[in-house]
Amino acid sequence: MRAFELVSARDSRHAVALLAEHAPSAKILAGGTDLLVDLKSSPRGPEVIIDISRAEDLKIIARKDEGLSIGALVTHSEIMRSPLIREMFPALVDAAHTIGAVQTRNLGTLGGNLVTGVPSMDSGPTLLALDALVTVVGPAGRRQMPLAEFFVGPRKTILKPDELLMEIVIPKQNLGKPAYFLKFGLRKGQALALVNVAASLWVDWDKHVFVTPRIALGAVAPTVIRAPKAEAYLEGRAITLEAMAEAGRIAVGEAKPISDFRASAGYRLDLIAVLTKRALEGAYALAKAKREAK
Ligand SMILES: Cc1cc2nc3c(=O)[nH]c(=O)nc-3n(C[C@H](O)[C@H](O)[C@H](O)COP(=O)(O)OP(=O)(O)OC[C@H]3O[C@@H](n4cnc5c(N)ncnc54)[C@H](O)[C@@H]3O)c2cc1C
């Protein structure tokens, strides 16, 4: 590991100022669960590490005019405990629960998970299925974009070296949208996903058809992806198990998984079909339960 200078940011504004001063040879430290692993194995690490773990303004979960804002520093454990998230998006709680072990979830942050850009990340699919936006800030100011545009390749995001990820926003039209997350790994705990899937949907109960269905997949392409052809197939279609199974089969054609030591590409393709169908079933069951509870 290369020696580095450690500086601590008081808040997000201070973090952006420190980035402007030290980038490109600086790195943000949030929970450190990914960064420290990287630093240990990298002889050419950053010269400056900017610790943002005390920036309280990045730890807020709040309802705003534009939707639900989750600060980049919110940890996976805090997502699991948040009454707002538990009520509106149990799929985000389920996804957080599958990440590493308790220690990893206590330190690891939502922002860190997204910035790593790892295709198997467990936070990505549900947020993509909810059309989440991300807000980033740098010397040129603030910009917001769909999360889908944030990921550009394996371990690559659109974030510039002097930019900070501030928050993740689930837009207001999707607050409470029924969503379901599933992860398949080689073990039940402490395992990266062979495939993870999230589905979200609204239901037109008069016609009993899918409305704005979303399917997002992880670990099956260079980035977390949506399955737009499967979504288009479902839009406005009568809700049946057969339609969900067909969407799963269509989603298979939208993925490009690799074979590695964890699983073959063929096995992952089979998982996509099965998990997509099950995630749609789960989202629909949630929609039904919410309707019956009214
Ligand atoms: C044992 C173990 C098990 C794990 N299991 C899983 C798992 O099952 N599923 C899963 O998805 N992940 C898993 N991870 C990966 C990791 O825990 C998560 O990705 C975690 O959310 C990373 O967050 P962090 O705050 O620790 O990020 P850090 O390690 O602090 O940062 C990661 C990267 O993001 C950058 N960064 C962080 N925050 C910001 C920000 N706000 N703005 C700009 N850049 C930023 C850092 O500079 C660094 O490059 C595991 C890790 C370990 C060590």
Side-chain angles (χ1 to χ4, degrees):
M1 187 196 287
R2 175 177 170 176
F4 55 81
E5 184 191 347
L6 180 69
V7 291
S8 184
R10 290 183 298 276
D11 54 25
S12 61
R13 186 187 283 245
H14 189 205
V16 173
L18 288 169
L19 274 172
E21 190 183 339
H22 297 291
S25 57
K27 270 276 184 195
I28 293 288
L29 172 78
T33 60
D34 273 316
L35 186 68
L36 291 185
V37 177
D38 286 352
L39 289 181
K40 281 180 195 162
S41 58
S42 153
R44 291 169 53 84
E47 287 169 18
V48 178
I49 301 262
I50 302 170
D51 177 7
I52 59 169
S53 63
R54 290 177 184 80
E56 295 297 326
D57 63 326
L58 293 173
K59 298 182 184 177
I60 296 166
I61 302 172
R63 220 176 146 152
K64 294 182 176 173
D65 288 347
E66 53 179 342
L68 181 74
S69 163
I70 309 175
L73 262 188
V74 170
T75 65
H76 304 298
S77 295
E78 284 162 349
I79 286 176
M80 289 167 64
R81 286 196 298 265
S82 159
L84 259 182
I85 296 180
R86 289 170 76 95
E87 187 205 323
M88 279 194 261
F89 302 114
L92 280 178
V93 175
D94 292 344
H97 195 194
T98 71
I99 293 179
V102 176
Q103 294 88 338
T104 317
R105 297 195 285 271
N106 283 346
L107 279 173
T109 62
L110 182 60
N113 196 237
L114 299 178
V115 175
T116 57
V118 174
S120 63
M121 66 173 69
D122 288 310
S123 309
T126 312
L127 290 171
L128 272 193
L130 291 167
D131 303 315
L133 306 165
V134 287
T135 310
V136 307
V137 181
R142 196 180 176 95
R143 57 191 182 121
Q144 197 172 53
M145 70 212 69
L147 177 62
E149 290 170 18
F150 186 69
F151 304 123
V152 293
R155 293 182 168 271
K156 283 203 190 88
T157 70
I158 208 165
L159 207 62
K160 297 186 185 130
D162 56 3
E163 283 183 321
L164 182 74
L165 173 62
M166 292 280 290
E167 63 170 352
I168 297 89
V169 177
I170 300 174
K172 67 168 180 269
Q173 71 271 17
N174 284 346
L175 293 185
K177 186 176 185 188
Y180 203 79
F181 172 81
L182 283 171
K183 168 177 177 175
F184 194 92
L186 290 178
R187 294 181 301 268
K188 282 208 165 174
Q190 281 273 49
L192 293 185
L194 297 186
V195 174
N196 53 21
V197 177
S200 76
L201 49 87
W202 294 111
V203 176
D204 178 333
W205 292 105
D206 293 332
K207 299 183 185 150
H208 199 246
V209 297
F210 292 98
V211 177
T212 54
R214 295 280 183 269
I215 296 164
L217 303 160
V220 299
T223 66
V224 180
I225 55 164
R226 290 251 307 270
K229 289 182 186 154
E231 294 171 359
Y233 168 80
L234 291 176
E235 182 71 60
R237 189 173 290 273
I239 299 176
T240 62
L241 288 179
E242 182 40 47
M244 296 182 198
E246 180 59 16
R249 287 190 284 271
I250 296 170
V252 168
E254 303 191 70
K256 291 191 177 64
I258 53 164
S259 295
D260 63 13
F261 65 95
R262 289 196 185 88
S264 67
Y267 187 58
R268 287 189 158 102
L269 291 172
D270 287 346
L271 281 174
I272 292 170
V274 174
L275 295 180
T276 300
K277 174 174 178 280
R278 288 186 190 164
L280 286 164
E281 282 173 23
Y284 174 66
L286 197 60
K288 222 168 144 186
K290 281 188 173 204
R291 184 172 191 245
E292 282 161 10
K294 271 187 190 163

